[in-house]
Amino acid sequence: MRTASCHRPPTPCLGIITGSCAEAGIDLWQKILAANRSRMGPAYRGDIDAPMVHVISVPRIGGNYRPLEADDNYEKVWSSLKQAILDLAPHVSVFVVACTTLHEYADRIEALRLTPQFLSYVEVVERFLVGISPESIVGVIGPQWTAMDDCGIYSPWQQVCQLELQSVQRSQELFLQ
């Protein structure tokens, strides 16, 4: 029996690390599939046109870790996350950690200097924010400390635009209007 695997080259392969909010990995994968279908339009033939992906779910990276630095688990979470990244790296072209909070480890991830590109949520949003008006209000969904505290991963964005924290319930209300 043959098993499919992602090898660089010839076929690019995406890596998703999940486990801290495991649903975030599923949600990301569903959005990638929908975007791919939309991008291909009528040329989309089904599964054969879906991107290749490796998903690793690592429950040890989950939990309540705020503030991460003050938590006894900070180094344990990093150790588990790092091992997942090292296990995934030989099989993918690019990878993402499907948990915004864990992007607090972005500097450590980048310091690994791995061949696959690390796709940081924070950097992607920063690139988007550069093009908007400073008067723009950007809604952030998440806990207060993730978004707004001085040490929160989104705090630098407050210099680019106005951030407005939204609860998940409130954000659903806004999207359904």
Side-chain angles (χ1 to χ4, degrees):
M1 178 169 90
R2 288 183 67 203
T3 58
S5 64
C6 295
H7 296 284
R8 292 177 315 257
T11 305
C13 183
L14 169 66
I16 300 174
I17 297 175
T18 190
S20 176
C21 186
E23 291 86 357
I26 294 167
D27 181 57
L28 176 62
W29 179 228
Q30 288 175 329
K31 288 175 179 169
I32 290 168
L33 289 172
N36 185 59
R37 261 187 234 104
S38 176
R39 181 183 59 83
M40 293 189 73
Y44 182 75
R45 299 171 294 171
D47 293 346
I48 195 167
D49 288 323
M52 184 149 324
V53 67
H54 273 240
V55 178
I56 295 180
S57 182
V58 187
R60 292 179 310 274
I61 64 175
N64 182 6
Y65 34 63
R66 186 56 189 161
L68 272 172
E69 296 85 0
D71 193 317
D72 291 338
N73 280 330
Y74 188 75
E75 292 303 322
K76 289 178 185 174
V77 169
W78 167 242
S79 179
S80 296
L81 179 59
K82 178 181 175 185
Q83 189 58 55
I85 292 167
L86 294 174
D87 291 346
L88 185 65
H91 307 286
V92 299
S93 309
V94 61
F95 70 95
V96 65
V97 177
C99 171
T100 309
T101 305
L102 290 178
H103 282 257
E104 228 177 276
Y105 293 103
D107 291 342
R108 287 184 178 198
I109 294 169
E110 290 169 1
L112 295 173
R113 299 195 189 289
L114 298 172
T115 301
Q117 176 190 1
F118 167 55
L119 183 61
S120 165
Y121 286 179
V122 176
E123 288 180 19
V124 169
V125 174
E126 283 173 356
R127 279 187 240 139
F128 170 78
L129 291 177
V130 166
I132 68 170
S133 165
E135 291 82 34
S136 297
I137 298 174
V138 175
V140 176
I141 302 168
Q144 176 76 25
W145 53 265
T146 301
M148 313 300 262
D149 286 0
D150 290 340
C151 63
I153 60 173
Y154 301 143
S155 60
W157 300 349
Q158 295 183 66
Q159 298 169 8
V160 178
C161 62
Q162 298 174 50
L163 295 181
E164 184 177 291
L165 186 65
Q166 298 292 330
S167 68
V168 172
Q169 180 181 350
R170 177 67 180 133
S171 65
Q172 289 172 342
E173 293 167 4
L174 291 171
F175 286 124
L176 296 176
Q177 288 181 356

